[in-house]
């Protein structure tokens, strides 16, 4: 019995560091690390020790014999990675003259921390308690004697793990439990509901600490830039995600599900998350962490069809194979590919076993008649993929009534009462920090903020909105490495205020509201 890595893989390589036989690839030392959608276990090398399953923060590692029917395909996905990879598992000669797996001791994917023995504890503030900020905190707490101040403008810690993960992905949300153990660490002080730039200035934060790390993510979304985008019924998909996760800055009545057809522009994982939630049986979500107001709205929802609109073809879609596979398992929901362009079917039919377009093989393909009501008698709820189509306008008077698209054989209007843009998150300017409007990031070098000694960035505000939970681990390692190198070099400005003063300042500012 081997183990397999499944849909919820976060790629933070915790499993790699504990595997005794090097059967999990790609490893942090390999070129492909960070570029694959998930990590993979070689069934020929796995010795069934279960160390990887114990280490996984999101319960993605499961014995092959225990995979459900919906998960069985992951055994093949894991095996196929090694069958089609040009790299062979590393081996070394055994005592009998043959070759076997190397038994090794993988270190965590962090930079070496070499500090002088007499180096005193640093006081470091981290703004943001999502994965990026918490990986930085973990690195500092486990490898140095640093005292860490966690600051978050929201009333609950977690960032996108708390407010961005779909409620029907409880295993992914469990990553938050791993980070939460550091919230009560004896060298941590946490201040929630405190906004830098509003309640305290960046200068005040810096004056109380040796260094400040901004891990504020990408709080906004990218716009389509087409006519009608501000009509009623046009929303960012990120708003819908925040709405069903009870984000305190999104009103309970922000989303109206009275339309039968919804068009989601974009074909990344956020687009699929929103599409899946909108057509799922609300009762299947009742025992998840979904917001009560969202569950109530879903129960009275009239949505019967979600159209996932992509400018590119199925061979270049941005979503992951695992998220697409999850859609195929939705009960009482049909998947349809709008076969309006012969290139679409060709891309699906010619897809290789490791190509994401291959997941659509066997899915119904038809030329969709958009004049037929999604609520027509006998029709089940469904998700329609329309590739090779570019939105040109959200049509209507005050409210959205259709999405005009071009592609394939020309131009058409898809009737819809709601249009959601899901074309990516975007960072927003931070008070006192140099901001690059083109990339939506803070200007930096290896995490060091340009022109701001002692100030650093990590996560999406550093590298842009790409990569999942695990990608932040190596990102945080680089930033913390830069910070510690500066500390050893004596380049950090010393705090001008005592260690307890910031706590008093934070309390005063919160009372002032």
């Amino acid at each position: 019995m081997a183990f397999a890595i499944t849909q919820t893989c976060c790629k933070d390589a915790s499993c790699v560091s504990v595997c005794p036989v090097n059967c999990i690839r790609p490893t942090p030392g390999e070129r492909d690390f960070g570029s694959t959608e998930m990590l993979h276990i070689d069934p020929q090398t796995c010795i069934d020790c279960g160390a990887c399953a114990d280490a996984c923060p999101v319960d993605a590692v499961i014995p092959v014999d225990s995979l459900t029917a919906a998960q069985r395909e992951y055994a093949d996905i894991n095996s196929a990675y090694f069958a089609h990879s040009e790299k062979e598992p590393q081996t070394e000669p055994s005592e009998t003259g043959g070759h076997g797996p190397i038994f090794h001791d993988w270190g965590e994917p962090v930079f070496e921390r070499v500090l002088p023995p007499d180096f005193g504890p640093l006081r470091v503030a981290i703004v943001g308690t999502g994965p990026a900020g918490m990986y930085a905190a973990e690195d500092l707490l486990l490898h140095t004697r640093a005292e860490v101040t966690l600051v978050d403008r929201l009333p609950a810690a977690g960032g996108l793990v708390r407010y961005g993960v779909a409620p029907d992905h409880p295993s992914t949300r469990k990553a938050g439990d791993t980070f939460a153990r550091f919230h009560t660490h004896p060298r941590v002080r946490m201040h929630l509901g405190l906004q830098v730039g509003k309640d305290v200035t960046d200068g005040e934060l810096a004056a109380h600490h040796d260094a400040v790390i901004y891990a504020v993510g990408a709080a906004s979304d990218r716009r389509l830039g087409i006519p009608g985008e501000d009509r009623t019924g046009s929303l960012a998909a990120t708003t819908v995600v925040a709405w069903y996760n009870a984000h305190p800055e999104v009103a309970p009545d922000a989303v109206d599900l009275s339309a039968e057809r919804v068009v989601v522009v974009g074909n990344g994982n956020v687009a699929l998350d929103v599409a899946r939630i909108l057509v799922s049986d609300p009762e299947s979500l009742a025992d998840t962490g979904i917001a009560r107001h969202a569950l109530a709205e879903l129960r009275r929802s009239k949505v019967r069809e979600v159209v996932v609109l992509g400018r590119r073809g199925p061979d270049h879609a941005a979503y992951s194979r695992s998220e697409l596979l999850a859609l195929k398992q939705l009960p009482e929901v049909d998947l349809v590919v709008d076969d309006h362009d012969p290139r679409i079917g060709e891309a699906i039919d010619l897809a290789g076993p490791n190509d994401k377009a291959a997941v659509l093989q066997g899915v119904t393909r038809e030329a969709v008649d958009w004049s037929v009501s999604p609520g027509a008698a006998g029709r089940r709820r469904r998700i329609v993929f329309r590739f090779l189509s570019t939105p040109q306008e959200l049509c209507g008077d005050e409210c959205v009534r259709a999405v005009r698209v071009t592609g394939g054989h020309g131009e058409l209007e898809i009737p819809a009462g709601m249009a959601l843009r899901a074309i990516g998150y975007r960072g927003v300017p931070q008070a006192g920090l140099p901001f690059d409007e083109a990339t939506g990031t803070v200007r930096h070098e290896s995490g060091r903020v340009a022109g701001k000694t002692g100030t650093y960035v990590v996560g999406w505000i550093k590298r842009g909105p790409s990569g999942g939970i695990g990608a932040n681990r190596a990102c945080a390692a680089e930033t913390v490495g830069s910070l510690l190198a500066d500390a050893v070099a004596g380049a950090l400005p010393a705090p001008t205020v005592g260690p307890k003063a910031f706590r008093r300042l934070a309390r005063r500012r919160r009372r002032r509201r």
Side-chain angles (χ1 to χ4, degrees), residues 14-31:
S14 295
C15 55
V16 175
S17 64
V18 300
C19 176
V21 294
N22 191 22
C23 72
I24 304 175
R25 298 296 182 83
T27 69
E30 293 179 331
R31 183 184 305 170

Side-chain angles (χ1 to χ4, degrees), residues 444-458:
H444 71 95
E445 183 175 345
S446 299
R448 297 178 178 93
V449 173
K452 297 276 289 187
T453 303
T455 305
Y456 304 83
V457 283
V458 69

Side-chain angles (χ1 to χ4, degrees), residues 88-295:
E88 294 294 326
Q90 298 175 358
T91 61
E92 63 182 7
S94 67
E95 293 180 357
T96 60
H99 284 72
I102 293 178
F103 284 75
H104 65 88
D105 182 21
W106 280 107
E108 294 184 353
V110 297
F111 294 102
E112 185 178 7
R113 274 60 174 119
V114 181
L115 296 176
D118 59 347
F119 198 81
L122 296 170
R123 282 153 53 192
V124 181
I126 299 177
V127 184
T129 58
M134 292 312 301
Y135 275 126
E138 177 185 44
D139 199 345
L140 288 165
L141 294 168
L142 296 184
H143 299 103
T144 77
R145 293 185 293 151
E147 298 170 356
V148 176
T149 301
L150 296 175
V151 179
D152 202 303
R153 65 184 177 86
L154 297 176
L160 279 183
V161 171
R162 169 65 183 84
Y163 294 113
V165 176
D168 59 347
H169 284 356
S171 294
T172 303
R173 286 189 168 199
K174 284 190 66 176
D177 298 337
T178 301
F179 300 133
R181 64 194 172 108
F182 293 104
H183 294 167
T184 55
H185 191 283
R187 285 186 278 123
V188 169
R189 294 293 181 270
M190 185 158 62
H191 301 276
L192 299 176
L194 188 71
Q195 185 171 349
V196 177
K198 179 180 179 182
D199 300 314
V200 295
T201 68
D202 61 302
E204 288 173 324
L205 191 63
H208 288 77
H209 299 86
D210 293 282
V212 180
I213 300 175
Y214 286 84
V216 294
S220 186
D221 66 287
R222 293 177 58 197
R223 292 178 63 85
L224 296 169
I226 61 176
E229 194 169 3
D230 293 320
R231 286 193 167 94
T232 300
S234 171
L235 293 172
T238 54
T239 298
V240 179
V241 172
W243 169 76
Y244 59 57
N245 282 323
H247 194 294
E249 295 177 346
V250 176
D253 61 353
V255 178
D256 176 6
L257 301 181
S258 59
E260 290 189 340
R261 178 181 288 129
V262 175
V263 172
V264 181
V265 180
N267 55 19
N269 284 345
V270 171
L272 298 200
D273 276 348
V274 170
R276 187 182 66 254
I277 294 296
L278 291 184
V279 298
S280 291
D281 179 358
E283 301 316 310
S284 69
L285 301 171
D287 294 328
T288 70
I290 193 169
R292 291 184 178 180
H293 59 256
L295 182 62

Side-chain angles (χ1 to χ4, degrees), residues 22-23 48-49 54 61 63 120 129 148 155 165 173 183 241 247 264 315-316 330 392 406 428 469 478 484 486 508:
N22 191 22
C23 72
D48 308 336
C49 69
D54 292 338
V61 185
T129 58
V148 176
V165 176
R173 286 189 168 199
H183 294 167
V241 172
H247 194 294
V264 181
D315 46 341
H316 293 104
L330 282 176
Q392 300 295 333
T406 56
V428 297
I469 294 172
E478 179 188 51
L484 296 181
D486 293 344
R508 288 199 308 270

